[in-house]
Amino acid sequence: MTNNIVVTNIQRADAATIDGLREAGVATAHEAAGRTGLVGIAVQARQSGLTIAGSAVTVSSHPGDNLMIHTAVEQCRPGDILVVTTTSSSVHGMFGDLLATSLMARGVRGLVIDAGVRDIATLRAMGFPVWSRAVHAQGTVKATPGSVNIPVVCDGQLISPGDVVVADDDGVVCIPREQAQRVHQASVERVALESAKRELLASGTLGLDLYNLRPLLESLGVTYIDDPVTNKTQ
Amino acid sequence: MTNNIVVTNIQRADAATIDGLREAGVATAHEAAGRTGLVGIAVQARQSGLTIAGSAVTVSSHPGDNLMIHTAVEQCRPGDILVVTTTSSSVHGMFGDLLATSLMARGVRGLVIDAGVRDIATLRAMGFPVWSRAVHAQGTVKATPGSVNIPVVCDGQLISPGDVVVADDDGVVCIPREQAQRVHQASVERVALESAKRELLASGTLGLDLYNLRPLLESLGVTYIDDPVTNKTQ
Amino acid sequence: MTNNIVVTNIQRADAATIDGLREAGVATAHEAAGRTGLVGIAVQARQSGLTIAGSAVTVSSHPGDNLMIHTAVEQCRPGDILVVTTTSSSVHGMFGDLLATSLMARGVRGLVIDAGVRDIATLRAMGFPVWSRAVHAQGTVKATPGSVNIPVVCDGQLISPGDVVVADDDGVVCIPREQAQRVHQASVERVALESAKRELLASGTLGLDLYNLRPLLESLGVTYIDDPVTNKTQ
Amino acid sequence: MTNNIVVTNIQRADAATIDGLREAGVATAHEAAGRTGLVGIAVQARQSGLTIAGSAVTVSSHPGDNLMIHTAVEQCRPGDILVVTTTSSSVHGMFGDLLATSLMARGVRGLVIDAGVRDIATLRAMGFPVWSRAVHAQGTVKATPGSVNIPVVCDGQLISPGDVVVADDDGVVCIPREQAQRVHQASVERVALESAKRELLASGTLGLDLYNLRPLLESLGVTYIDDPVTNKTQ
Amino acid sequence: MTNNIVVTNIQRADAATIDGLREAGVATAHEAAGRTGLVGIAVQARQSGLTIAGSAVTVSSHPGDNLMIHTAVEQCRPGDILVVTTTSSSVHGMFGDLLATSLMARGVRGLVIDAGVRDIATLRAMGFPVWSRAVHAQGTVKATPGSVNIPVVCDGQLISPGDVVVADDDGVVCIPREQAQRVHQASVERVALESAKRELLASGTLGLDLYNLRPLLESLGVTYIDDPVTNKTQ
Amino acid sequence: MTNNIVVTNIQRADAATIDGLREAGVATAHEAAGRTGLVGIAVQARQSGLTIAGSAVTVSSHPGDNLMIHTAVEQCRPGDILVVTTTSSSVHGMFGDLLATSLMARGVRGLVIDAGVRDIATLRAMGFPVWSRAVHAQGTVKATPGSVNIPVVCDGQLISPGDVVVADDDGVVCIPREQAQRVHQASVERVALESAKRELLASGTLGLDLYNLRPLLESLGVTYIDDPVTNKTQ
């Protein structure tokens, strides 16, 4: 089994691709990835207006135990994002301002955690961005083994070490490392396309016409009615 | 059945009534309506400090499919609020900045959706107010029929097309169109009354006295005790 | 039984202890109390960046009925925090700007309620801090008896009248009155200790070394691996 | 407003239609109604293997207060189903074996309640079927007004007095009274159709062929692949 | 602080009182206790038709760690009920058939746990009754300290060691030890009263008359209407 | 991207290993797998007392659309278990008795679905075992593409096609195909060990002694106290 291991040597995507995916943002990167990769909605931004992208360093912890988070810090490099999961559902405040201080000292860009964080006011003041399942002051122990840099499932989404994680106010998306360049390219094209659409829609063109949806509505049997009361008595 | 129809001709309340209900706000309008009309707490404001009121244009969609939202845009007029529901529970991000661009071009005042939205940072920057069950980037298809401007249930609350919807940081309330004038009038009276009460309470008058609750407490058998330990041993 | 009573004479902790615990904040006070005392995560701050501490005046209400909140106002003194629970789960908006006006007139520092509040925009504008399970405009009646200043359970946490309640963006913690001085002292020591740790971590010292965790990892059988693929085929 | 009223004279569907819909069961009646009418999944069968159908007598109660249930009993006739909702979410045990005794004495067929019930073991022993949001012993008061036989929303579904309610292990569906005959007829046809399909499927015919789905899959771009690894490297 | 202690000498209620409360069942004991004492609805019976009553031996555990359950076994005597809580929310399967074997060997009557259990089919076959928050196979460690026989909060309800716990299909109620005799006496009276009411209701007497509710309805302004449509246009 | 594909040729574990894991059951297989592999608790057994094991045929569907389930039927062989997930959270009744008829005709052993099923009474009568997130009659469309036999995440657990799925009243566990033999062997050893322990525990030996936990309790600072009141005043 791959239990209780720390993988020290993981591959990461190139910096230009990661930066490009950050510019795309979560919704666009997710669409460019064929509508895949989203972490569930339980993991929410704990600040407003920040977007980050980086390489995932992953942690699988026992609930209520942050021993493996401390272990993972050493594996982080500038540009990484720490991704923490627990072996069963937990809202313990496993991460606070001291761990954030450590991560910022190593150039880590943020935290995605399927559990709780605490010291949230300090984290915001420090400018350390966090996406978490909960804010909860409940303290943790350092007693139980776990793993660093193994594939983990974060609120329903598989994340492997070295995958590109993008996070903003819309949530968190994971782009597998080997697909990152391709998804980046697709997201650039998508942004251009959306820009053109936005202008048309702002000028009053309807999506019904822009996307040619009227024939589809007709084929699906959608009927236009002036007066529902009359229809009811037909 | 009234499935898969688009009703093109709905009645709306008059503008002065709608504006008056906006000034009252959700809590007061709800009280003025006899404590009825509230959408459930799952549908939450996605910005802070904004109040809107308008006429409901309603959508019943398949989950994860925004075809009928595009269809509904054409039915919207200045002053409307788009109200979107799905045929079963869904948190898909069915609405984003492109649809908001379209709605703003038509003078729509905001969105109430019992599902997810995305591009939330852009929506806030655009000043387009949203009340939703979730923020989620998950993309949608355009494949399944539904209806526009039929009565819908939005997180437990029946909303008919043309009803007056008021939304603020307290949530969303629906005032049936035919009751809107009467509720508006009642809310004006209520605001005046509350203003007088607020002054009394600020000066130290107790609610117990203001509402004459002491006799009620006595009739209900509520007892004042100095020392609970003594009471326990009685 | 201790039903339907109002206890008028409760003991409170001294002001210096209460102020000291406010400076410590929720996470530190909780740790200083031996990782005890936290109210659950359903009761959340409804504003950002505020910390309060005070003596608990407790309410046990029927759901959807705020008669006993009005009754409790009279029992509040400057420096108190009102703690409201219901006899079964409820999200009614049992508290709004009029009750807040009353409490501010008596010098109450804030509200912790395991139910809903309304008029939230006004409460924020008034500067009256609230921690609640929900924001919901749903109105209440004044019809059913309950108790004031009996021990209550607030989202999983026992709170007795006169206990010290501390609340900030991390949540709410309750320190039993008779332990307050001791916990305050422990929190002062803890703050000093954390300050030293923060400097070391900021300079790049790892938690693994600061807390001497490497021997523990080894004793737990955590293994460092360079290449997981090779490991998989072992 | 239609608050605090008891409507004594409601129309009901004919007995043959109601019995026919009971034979169809919830899933079939829901399909025959154009995939409409389902109460949400929070309201669950509290026994196994029972199907009922009857005319809705509706109740809108204050949470934790069963005064209006007692009021509704008098409005029930043989063949009715009592449908109870609360003005905000509640899990109080508003209904127990005494109320069931009363309803059975009047020939009522069962209870659908968007709240809690208690004495569940006795209810099962009495053979009185219940669909509820919760089983909870929490007692109620009799203090607050409400309404009987007004349209209510039961876990997301609008139910009007006199509508036909069908409930089985799959949940609860509401068929509007004026559509009941038509839906009954459609359900009879559907049952016949499904019976034929079942035989074909049991003999090994695939749904892909029975519903002619292969062209659809192709038009949607679904691709058959023998070996996904090879595909990945394409 | 009272952390990490095992209290070996607790007081229990007398056997006759405990047996009497078992006969009353949860709903009646809760009413006899003045509508207090209920554990929340998240803790559910994991079998059907069993009622137990006994003296609480309480456990406060770290989530995902059953060390303190093993510690508590030694403190159990015949007639006890083990009550397990965790310091933060957890659904780990902290208890299975081996621990049940141990408890049955000591004459323990059942388990109430605000967390998960596993081996549920075996537990049912053994006839060991369980009320739990979840059924989950997730294994636990034995690594973290906790306490036995301190007051705990179990899904919102304070339970002290030696309190009488009654559990059946309606849930779990806790009767404080010092009130047990009085509550038992009240429940006997209540059962007699309900028996008389049941006969009256079965014979067709309405609760409206039995409880004399008609004057209350009138005083609350509840109005009887024959035809709601006419009323609407009044 | 691996979107919208059907993989026709997957590898499966050998029948003896699968049967052996079925005998072990979910809790034991999970422990033998190093406490990994559990599907979350939202996916629950919809019958009582059945254990199945088989090879996973996986489906990734659009919510509310069962086109890909029909597509997957053709890929199933005797001894398989169908595992269905949706691209975002859904409780639609995507599976009923007709699909079960099809699967039984192909020798499929059961269904694990992170969504809803319907016709549950018929499914039980047919003896077709189901683990699902919900029972809900809500009907589905056949309109949107998806994939068959790609890796999916089922309530938090990664499941790849051909993995061994074991399901019983405790839930669902996934054993990766390439680890199945090793886990089977470990589970056989574990069963033997537990059998010996069970005898000792039944005869009154405490887990504290059997697992030698007393030194651990001491090292963790757990203290035995006769009388908590005295301790409190120390």
Side-chain angles (χ1 to χ4, degrees):
Chain A
M1 269 26 69
T2 54
N3 273 341
N4 304 341
I5 63 170
V6 180
V7 177
T8 56
N9 192 3
I10 66 170
Q11 289 185 276
R12 290 161 170 91
D14 64 289
T17 297
I18 293 172
D19 288 350
L21 286 166
R22 196 191 65 77
E23 275 177 50
V26 170
T28 299
H30 156 71
E31 288 284 347
R35 286 185 194 148
T36 62
L38 283 175
V39 170
I41 58 169
V43 175
Q44 302 186 346
R46 298 297 162 186
Q47 62 287 318
S48 199
L50 292 185
T51 305
I52 62 170
S55 302
V57 168
T58 64
V59 181
S60 171
S61 276
H62 193 71
D65 192 313
N66 67 4
L67 173 61
M68 299 315 294
I69 302 182
H70 284 285
T71 306
V73 172
E74 191 176 23
Q75 307 306 320
C76 291
R77 297 189 191 163
D80 285 347
I81 292 176
L82 192 64
V83 176
V84 178
T85 63
T86 56
T87 50
S88 80
S89 181
S90 168
V91 293
H92 265 247
M94 298 173 74
F95 184 98
D97 68 334
L98 290 182
L99 274 164
T101 301
S102 248
L103 289 179
M104 290 184 84
R106 296 185 79 81
V108 172
R109 291 181 177 166
L111 173 75
V112 173
I113 182 168
D114 193 350
V117 296
R118 61 184 190 180
D119 307 322
I120 188 67
T122 309
L123 295 176
R124 284 174 187 145
M126 293 167 69
F128 186 80
V130 171
W131 285 256
S132 75
R133 176 177 289 268
V135 173
H136 194 28
Q138 176 75 39
T140 45
V141 296
K142 294 174 184 60
T144 329
S147 293
V148 174
N149 281 332
I150 63 167
V152 295
V153 173
C154 183
D155 197 8
Q157 177 58 44
L158 181 69
I159 301 182
S160 294
D163 284 353
V164 182
V165 166
V166 188
D168 64 17
D169 288 356
D170 280 355
V172 180
V173 70
C174 169
I175 311 296
R177 182 179 52 78
E178 58 269 24
Q179 300 178 6
Q181 273 196 318
R182 193 169 30 162
V183 172
H184 174 212
Q185 191 50 44
S187 72
V188 168
E189 288 160 20
R190 193 175 167 89
V191 167
L193 208 64
E194 291 208 341
S195 191
K197 284 186 199 167
R198 192 173 291 108
E199 265 182 62
L200 282 168
L201 295 167
S203 72
T205 304
L206 290 169
L208 281 186
D209 299 313
L210 185 60
Y211 306 114
N212 193 29
L213 297 172
R214 294 189 198 273
L216 175 61
L217 286 175
E218 196 175 347
S219 75
L220 292 170
V222 175
T223 316
Y224 284 76
I225 290 167
D226 183 72
D227 181 349
V229 176
T230 308
N231 177 59
K232 267 185 186 164
T233 60
Q234 282 177 334
Chain B
M1 270 28 66
T2 54
N3 274 341
N4 304 343
I5 64 171
V6 180
V7 177
T8 56
N9 192 3
I10 66 170
Q11 290 186 275
R12 290 162 169 90
D14 64 288
T17 298
I18 293 172
D19 289 350
L21 286 166
R22 196 192 64 76
E23 275 177 49
V26 170
T28 298
H30 156 71
E31 288 284 347
R35 286 186 194 146
T36 62
L38 284 176
V39 170
I41 58 169
V43 176
Q44 302 187 346
R46 299 295 163 188
Q47 62 287 317
S48 198
L50 292 185
T51 304
I52 61 171
S55 302
V57 168
T58 64
V59 180
S60 171
S61 277
H62 193 71
D65 191 312
N66 67 6
L67 173 60
M68 298 316 294
I69 301 182
H70 285 283
T71 306
V73 171
E74 192 176 22
Q75 306 306 321
C76 290
R77 297 189 193 164
D80 285 348
I81 292 176
L82 191 65
V83 176
V84 178
T85 63
T86 55
T87 50
S88 80
S89 182
S90 168
V91 293
H92 265 246
M94 298 174 73
F95 183 98
D97 68 334
L98 290 183
L99 274 164
T101 300
S102 247
L103 289 179
M104 289 184 83
R106 296 185 79 81
V108 173
R109 291 181 177 166
L111 173 76
V112 173
I113 181 168
D114 193 352
V117 297
R118 61 183 190 180
D119 308 321
I120 189 67
T122 308
L123 295 176
R124 286 175 186 145
M126 292 166 68
F128 186 79
V130 170
W131 286 255
S132 75
R133 177 178 287 270
V135 173
H136 195 28
Q138 177 75 39
T140 45
V141 296
K142 295 176 183 57
T144 329
S147 292
V148 174
N149 280 332
I150 63 167
V152 295
V153 173
C154 183
D155 197 8
Q157 177 58 44
L158 182 69
I159 301 181
S160 293
D163 284 352
V164 182
V165 167
V166 188
D168 63 17
D169 289 356
D170 280 355
V172 180
V173 70
C174 170
I175 311 296
R177 184 180 51 79
E178 59 270 23
Q179 300 178 8
Q181 274 196 318
R182 191 167 32 162
V183 172
H184 175 211
Q185 191 50 46
S187 72
V188 168
E189 289 160 19
R190 192 175 169 89
V191 166
L193 208 65
E194 290 209 340
S195 189
K197 283 184 200 166
R198 193 173 291 109
E199 264 182 61
L200 282 168
L201 294 168
S203 72
T205 304
L206 289 169
L208 281 186
D209 298 314
L210 185 60
Y211 306 113
N212 192 28
L213 298 172
R214 294 189 198 273
L216 175 60
L217 286 176
E218 196 176 346
S219 75
L220 292 170
V222 175
T223 316
Y224 284 76
I225 291 167
D226 182 71
D227 179 349
V229 176
T230 308
N231 177 59
K232 268 186 186 162
T233 60
Q234 280 177 338
Chain C
M1 267 32 64
T2 54
N3 273 342
N4 304 342
I5 64 172
V6 179
V7 176
T8 56
N9 191 3
I10 66 169
Q11 290 185 276
R12 289 162 171 92
D14 63 290
T17 296
I18 293 172
D19 289 350
L21 285 166
R22 197 192 64 76
E23 276 177 49
V26 171
T28 298
H30 155 71
E31 288 284 347
R35 287 185 192 148
T36 63
L38 285 175
V39 171
I41 58 169
V43 175
Q44 302 186 346
R46 298 297 162 186
Q47 61 288 317
S48 198
L50 292 184
T51 304
I52 62 170
S55 301
V57 168
T58 64
V59 180
S60 171
S61 277
H62 193 71
D65 191 312
N66 66 6
L67 173 60
M68 298 316 293
I69 301 183
H70 284 284
T71 307
V73 171
E74 190 177 24
Q75 306 307 321
C76 291
R77 298 189 191 163
D80 284 348
I81 293 176
L82 191 64
V83 176
V84 178
T85 62
T86 55
T87 51
S88 78
S89 182
S90 168
V91 293
H92 265 247
M94 298 174 73
F95 184 97
D97 67 334
L98 290 182
L99 274 164
T101 300
S102 247
L103 289 180
M104 288 182 85
R106 295 185 80 80
V108 172
R109 292 182 177 164
L111 172 75
V112 173
I113 182 168
D114 193 351
V117 297
R118 61 184 190 180
D119 307 322
I120 189 67
T122 309
L123 295 176
R124 286 174 186 145
M126 294 167 67
F128 185 80
V130 171
W131 285 255
S132 75
R133 176 177 290 270
V135 173
H136 194 28
Q138 177 73 40
T140 46
V141 296
K142 295 174 183 59
T144 329
S147 292
V148 175
N149 280 332
I150 63 167
V152 295
V153 174
C154 183
D155 196 9
Q157 178 58 45
L158 181 70
I159 301 182
S160 293
D163 284 352
V164 182
V165 167
V166 188
D168 64 16
D169 288 356
D170 280 355
V172 180
V173 70
C174 170
I175 311 296
R177 183 181 52 78
E178 57 271 23
Q179 300 177 8
Q181 275 196 318
R182 192 168 31 163
V183 172
H184 174 211
Q185 191 51 45
S187 72
V188 169
E189 289 161 19
R190 193 176 168 89
V191 166
L193 209 64
E194 290 208 340
S195 190
K197 282 185 201 169
R198 194 173 291 109
E199 264 182 62
L200 281 168
L201 294 167
S203 71
T205 303
L206 290 168
L208 280 186
D209 298 314
L210 186 61
Y211 306 113
N212 192 29
L213 296 173
R214 293 189 198 274
L216 174 61
L217 286 176
E218 195 175 347
S219 75
L220 292 170
V222 175
T223 315
Y224 284 75
I225 290 168
D226 183 70
D227 180 350
V229 176
T230 309
N231 177 59
K232 267 186 186 162
T233 61
Q234 282 177 335
Chain D
M1 268 34 58
T2 54
N3 273 342
N4 304 343
I5 63 171
V6 179
V7 177
T8 56
N9 192 2
I10 66 169
Q11 290 186 275
R12 291 163 170 89
D14 63 289
T17 297
I18 293 172
D19 289 350
L21 286 166
R22 196 192 64 77
E23 275 177 49
V26 171
T28 299
H30 155 71
E31 288 284 346
R35 288 187 191 146
T36 63
L38 284 176
V39 171
I41 58 169
V43 176
Q44 303 187 343
R46 298 297 162 186
Q47 62 288 317
S48 197
L50 292 184
T51 304
I52 63 171
S55 302
V57 168
T58 64
V59 180
S60 171
S61 278
H62 193 71
D65 191 313
N66 67 6
L67 173 60
M68 298 316 294
I69 302 183
H70 285 284
T71 307
V73 171
E74 192 176 24
Q75 306 306 321
C76 291
R77 299 192 191 161
D80 285 348
I81 292 176
L82 192 65
V83 176
V84 178
T85 63
T86 56
T87 50
S88 79
S89 182
S90 168
V91 294
H92 265 246
M94 298 174 73
F95 184 98
D97 68 335
L98 290 182
L99 274 164
T101 300
S102 247
L103 289 180
M104 289 183 84
R106 295 185 80 80
V108 173
R109 291 182 177 164
L111 172 76
V112 173
I113 181 168
D114 194 351
V117 296
R118 61 185 189 177
D119 307 323
I120 189 66
T122 308
L123 295 176
R124 285 174 186 145
M126 294 166 68
F128 185 80
V130 170
W131 286 254
S132 75
R133 176 178 289 269
V135 173
H136 195 29
Q138 177 74 41
T140 45
V141 296
K142 294 175 183 59
T144 329
S147 293
V148 174
N149 280 332
I150 63 167
V152 295
V153 173
C154 183
D155 196 9
Q157 177 58 45
L158 181 69
I159 302 182
S160 293
D163 284 352
V164 182
V165 166
V166 187
D168 63 17
D169 288 357
D170 280 354
V172 181
V173 70
C174 169
I175 311 296
R177 184 181 52 78
E178 58 271 24
Q179 301 176 7
Q181 273 196 318
R182 190 170 33 163
V183 171
H184 174 212
Q185 191 51 45
S187 72
V188 169
E189 289 159 21
R190 191 174 169 90
V191 166
L193 208 64
E194 289 209 340
S195 190
K197 282 186 201 166
R198 194 173 289 108
E199 263 182 62
L200 282 168
L201 294 168
S203 72
T205 303
L206 289 168
L208 281 186
D209 298 313
L210 185 61
Y211 306 113
N212 193 28
L213 297 173
R214 293 189 198 274
L216 175 60
L217 286 176
E218 196 176 344
S219 75
L220 292 170
V222 175
T223 315
Y224 284 76
I225 290 168
D226 182 71
D227 180 350
V229 177
T230 308
N231 177 58
K232 268 186 187 163
T233 60
Q234 281 178 336
Chain E
M1 270 28 66
T2 54
N3 273 341
N4 304 342
I5 63 171
V6 180
V7 176
T8 55
N9 191 4
I10 66 169
Q11 289 185 277
R12 290 162 170 90
D14 64 288
T17 297
I18 293 172
D19 289 350
L21 286 166
R22 196 191 66 75
E23 276 177 48
V26 171
T28 299
H30 156 71
E31 287 285 346
R35 287 185 193 147
T36 62
L38 283 176
V39 171
I41 59 168
V43 175
Q44 302 187 346
R46 298 297 162 183
Q47 62 288 318
S48 197
L50 292 185
T51 304
I52 62 170
S55 302
V57 168
T58 64
V59 180
S60 171
S61 277
H62 193 70
D65 192 312
N66 68 5
L67 173 61
M68 298 316 294
I69 302 182
H70 285 284
T71 306
V73 172
E74 191 176 25
Q75 307 306 321
C76 290
R77 298 189 191 164
D80 285 347
I81 292 176
L82 191 65
V83 175
V84 178
T85 62
T86 55
T87 50
S88 79
S89 181
S90 169
V91 293
H92 265 247
M94 298 173 73
F95 184 100
D97 68 333
L98 291 181
L99 274 164
T101 300
S102 247
L103 289 179
M104 290 183 83
R106 296 186 79 81
V108 173
R109 290 180 178 166
L111 172 76
V112 173
I113 182 167
D114 194 349
V117 297
R118 62 184 190 179
D119 306 323
I120 189 67
T122 308
L123 295 176
R124 285 174 186 145
M126 293 166 68
F128 186 79
V130 170
W131 286 254
S132 75
R133 177 177 288 270
V135 173
H136 195 28
Q138 177 74 40
T140 44
V141 296
K142 294 174 182 61
T144 327
S147 293
V148 174
N149 280 331
I150 63 168
V152 295
V153 173
C154 182
D155 197 8
Q157 177 59 43
L158 182 68
I159 301 181
S160 292
D163 283 352
V164 181
V165 167
V166 187
D168 63 17
D169 289 356
D170 280 355
V172 180
V173 70
C174 170
I175 312 297
R177 183 179 52 80
E178 58 269 25
Q179 300 178 7
Q181 274 196 318
R182 192 168 31 161
V183 173
H184 175 210
Q185 191 50 44
S187 71
V188 168
E189 289 160 19
R190 192 174 168 89
V191 166
L193 208 64
E194 290 208 342
S195 189
K197 284 185 200 166
R198 193 173 291 108
E199 265 183 61
L200 282 167
L201 295 168
S203 72
T205 303
L206 289 169
L208 280 185
D209 298 313
L210 185 60
Y211 307 113
N212 193 29
L213 298 172
R214 294 188 198 274
L216 175 61
L217 286 176
E218 197 177 345
S219 75
L220 292 170
V222 175
T223 316
Y224 284 76
I225 291 167
D226 183 71
D227 180 349
V229 176
T230 308
N231 177 60
K232 267 186 186 164
T233 59
Q234 280 177 336
Chain F
M1 265 34 59
T2 53
N3 273 342
N4 304 344
I5 63 170
V6 179
V7 177
T8 55
N9 191 4
I10 66 169
Q11 290 186 276
R12 289 162 170 90
D14 64 289
T17 297
I18 293 172
D19 289 352
L21 286 166
R22 197 192 65 76
E23 275 178 48
V26 170
T28 298
H30 156 71
E31 288 284 347
R35 287 186 193 147
T36 63
L38 284 175
V39 171
I41 58 169
V43 175
Q44 302 186 346
R46 298 298 162 183
Q47 62 287 317
S48 199
L50 291 185
T51 305
I52 61 169
S55 302
V57 168
T58 65
V59 180
S60 172
S61 277
H62 193 70
D65 191 313
N66 67 5
L67 174 60
M68 299 315 294
I69 302 182
H70 285 284
T71 306
V73 172
E74 191 177 25
Q75 306 307 320
C76 291
R77 299 190 190 162
D80 284 347
I81 292 176
L82 191 65
V83 176
V84 178
T85 63
T86 55
T87 50
S88 79
S89 182
S90 168
V91 294
H92 265 246
M94 298 174 73
F95 184 99
D97 68 334
L98 290 182
L99 274 164
T101 301
S102 247
L103 288 180
M104 289 183 84
R106 296 186 79 81
V108 173
R109 291 180 177 165
L111 173 76
V112 173
I113 181 168
D114 194 351
V117 296
R118 61 184 189 179
D119 306 323
I120 188 68
T122 309
L123 295 176
R124 285 174 186 146
M126 293 167 68
F128 185 80
V130 170
W131 285 255
S132 75
R133 176 177 289 268
V135 173
H136 195 27
Q138 177 74 40
T140 45
V141 296
K142 293 175 184 60
T144 329
S147 293
V148 174
N149 281 331
I150 63 167
V152 296
V153 173
C154 182
D155 197 9
Q157 177 59 44
L158 181 69
I159 302 182
S160 293
D163 284 353
V164 182
V165 167
V166 188
D168 63 18
D169 288 356
D170 280 353
V172 180
V173 69
C174 169
I175 311 296
R177 183 180 52 79
E178 58 269 23
Q179 301 177 8
Q181 273 196 318
R182 192 168 32 161
V183 172
H184 174 212
Q185 190 52 43
S187 72
V188 169
E189 289 160 19
R190 192 174 168 89
V191 167
L193 208 64
E194 290 209 340
S195 190
K197 282 185 201 167
R198 194 173 291 107
E199 265 183 61
L200 282 168
L201 295 167
S203 72
T205 303
L206 290 169
L208 281 187
D209 298 313
L210 185 61
Y211 306 112
N212 193 30
L213 297 173
R214 293 189 199 273
L216 175 61
L217 286 176
E218 196 176 346
S219 75
L220 292 170
V222 175
T223 315
Y224 283 75
I225 290 167
D226 182 73
D227 179 350
V229 177
T230 308
N231 177 59
K232 267 186 186 164
T233 59
Q234 281 176 336

